[in-house]
């Protein structure tokens, strides 16, 4: 199975074939925002309006099949904080109103989870046995802090999930071809994960290139997850389709990764 492109009306997204509940990694397409935020910007910024963001989230909900009024979001700080939520944790359609966290898990049918990216790595989790779902935002800091594994651990602790049952999907991010760093990032990965992490790094001159999708897949495997699908998309290579923080120097909108919990499957 693989991550594939999907479209409904004008909304375009990527979806994992192994995740059988409504979910997706969004693109720039299908919203009403303009200029640098054109068009499906999902997070309020100084160049967009709350009215546009709300319309975009409603467009996304209509396309994927979730109720925006049951949507729970993250206020991301590159942390390893995971919140256990239900639809009662819905506050508004503005991410700034939510508590700090970079991961969400739920087993509440009807609750949708949303994290935001624009180069960082989005991760979605679904347990077909318990019906639990999770979403994580993993920048390089969240990656070495193992935010993906901490979402798995929260699903195990709170919902009785067996990690081997989880279907995981890793979405578009800045791929190894463009994620160039100084030595501090590979040093952090090696300190966190040992020599195994080195296979996903390459030194080019004085800089290093890291494959954060592969490192997050390693994190998931170490947490016991066996079913992992990975998007081939790079947000820099495809900055026409996705927002990239590096390409735009931060003048951009935000795409998202969203998943709907539908409870236990009959």
């Amino acid at each position: 199975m693989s991550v594939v492109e999907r479209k409904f009306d004008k909304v375009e997204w990527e979806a994992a074939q192994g995740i059988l509940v409504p979910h997706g990694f969004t693109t720039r397409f299908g919203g009403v925002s303009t200029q640098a935020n054109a068009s499906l910007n999902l997070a309020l910024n100084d160049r967009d309006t709350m009215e546009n963001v709300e319309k975009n989230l409603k467009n996304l909900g209509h396309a994927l099949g979730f109720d925006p009024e049951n949507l729970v979001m993250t206020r991301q700080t590159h942390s390893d904080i995971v919140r256990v939520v239900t639809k009662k944790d819905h506050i508004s359609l503005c991410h700034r109103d939510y508590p700090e966290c970079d991961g969400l898990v739920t087993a509440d049918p009807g609750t949708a989870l949303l994290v935001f990216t624009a180069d960082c790595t989005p991760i979605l989790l679904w347990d077909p046995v318990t019906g639990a779902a999770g979403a994580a935002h993993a920048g390089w800091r969240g990656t070495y802090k193992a935010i993906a594994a901490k979402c798995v651990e929260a699903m195990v602790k709170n919902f009785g999930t067996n990690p081997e049952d989880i279907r995981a999907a890793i979405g578009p991010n800045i791929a190894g071809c463009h994620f160039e760093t100084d030595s501090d990032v590979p040093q952090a990965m090696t300190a966190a994960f040992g020599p195994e992490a080195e296979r996903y790094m390459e030194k080019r001159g004085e800089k290093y290139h890291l494959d954060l999708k592969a490192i997050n897949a390693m994190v998931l495997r170490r947490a016991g997850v066996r079913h992992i699908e990975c998007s081939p998309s790079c947000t820099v290579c495809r900055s026409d389709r996705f927002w990239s923080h590096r390409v735009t120097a931060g003048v951009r909108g935000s795409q998202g990764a969203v998943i709907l919990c539908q409870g236990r499957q009959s």
Side-chain angles (χ1 to χ4, degrees), residues 53-111:
V53 171
E54 288 180 354
K55 288 181 180 177
N56 292 341
L57 288 166
K58 289 175 182 177
N59 282 1
L60 182 62
H62 180 64
L64 267 66
F66 67 87
D67 183 351
E69 294 304 312
N70 293 332
L71 185 64
V72 181
M73 306 180 188
T74 47
R75 180 166 59 83
Q76 296 166 187
T77 58
H78 297 279
S79 72
D80 60 353
I81 299 171
V82 178
R83 295 183 65 217
V84 181
V85 300
T86 71
K87 61 178 68 70
K88 293 180 180 178
D89 291 289
H90 171 82
I91 297 172
S92 74
L93 293 180
C94 179
H95 73 285
R96 296 177 180 177
D97 293 336
Y98 286 83
E100 173 187 356
C101 74
D102 286 77
L104 297 165
V105 296
T106 189
D108 180 38
T111 300

Side-chain angles (χ1 to χ4, degrees), residues 26-243:
T26 68
T27 68
R28 297 175 61 165
F29 304 130
V32 300
S33 298
T34 61
Q35 299 181 1
N37 294 295
S39 64
L40 193 69
N41 173 43
L42 301 180
L44 183 66
N45 60 47
D46 294 338
R47 298 168 302 280
D48 210 348
T49 67
M50 196 63 234
E51 180 182 8
N52 284 345
V53 171
E54 288 180 354
K55 288 181 180 177
N56 292 341
L57 288 166
K58 289 175 182 177
N59 282 1
L60 182 62
H62 180 64
L64 267 66
F66 67 87
D67 183 351
E69 294 304 312
N70 293 332
L71 185 64
V72 181
M73 306 180 188
T74 47
R75 180 166 59 83
Q76 296 166 187
T77 58
H78 297 279
S79 72
D80 60 353
I81 299 171
V82 178
R83 295 183 65 217
V84 181
V85 300
T86 71
K87 61 178 68 70
K88 293 180 180 178
D89 291 289
H90 171 82
I91 297 172
S92 74
L93 293 180
C94 179
H95 73 285
R96 296 177 180 177
D97 293 336
Y98 286 83
E100 173 187 356
C101 74
D102 286 77
L104 297 165
V105 296
T106 189
D108 180 38
T111 300
L113 310 176
L114 175 63
V115 299
F116 306 94
T117 61
D119 276 341
C120 295
T121 308
I123 300 158
L124 295 176
L125 306 169
W126 175 59
D127 175 7
V129 177
T130 67
H137 158 262
W140 71 262
R141 292 176 180 84
T143 298
Y144 86 76
K145 293 175 183 177
I147 184 73
K150 287 171 182 172
C151 283
V152 172
E153 291 164 5
M155 292 169 70
V156 171
K157 177 181 178 181
N158 292 278
F159 314 129
T161 291
N162 180 343
E164 294 187 359
D165 293 329
I166 290 176
R167 272 54 177 172
I170 299 173
N173 74 347
I174 181 171
C177 51
H178 284 98
F179 185 53
E180 182 181 87
T181 77
D182 293 320
S183 61
D184 57 330
V185 179
Q187 287 171 1
M189 299 299 172
T190 303
F193 307 121
E196 184 181 0
E198 295 176 2
R199 70 180 65 177
Y200 309 119
M201 309 174 192
E202 179 185 352
K203 189 174 183 182
R204 302 181 188 175
E206 296 302 313
K207 298 289 186 177
Y208 294 81
H209 285 249
L210 276 70
D211 185 343
L212 293 181
K213 288 192 184 96
I215 296 175
N216 277 288
M218 177 190 71
V219 170
L220 288 167
R221 289 194 301 271
R222 289 188 175 191
V225 179
R226 297 291 176 262
H227 308 278
I228 304 170
E229 299 171 72
C230 191
S231 167
S233 298
C234 171
T235 49
V236 175
C237 292
R238 293 301 312 274
S239 59
D240 60 323
R241 184 169 177 78
F242 304 98
W243 280 290

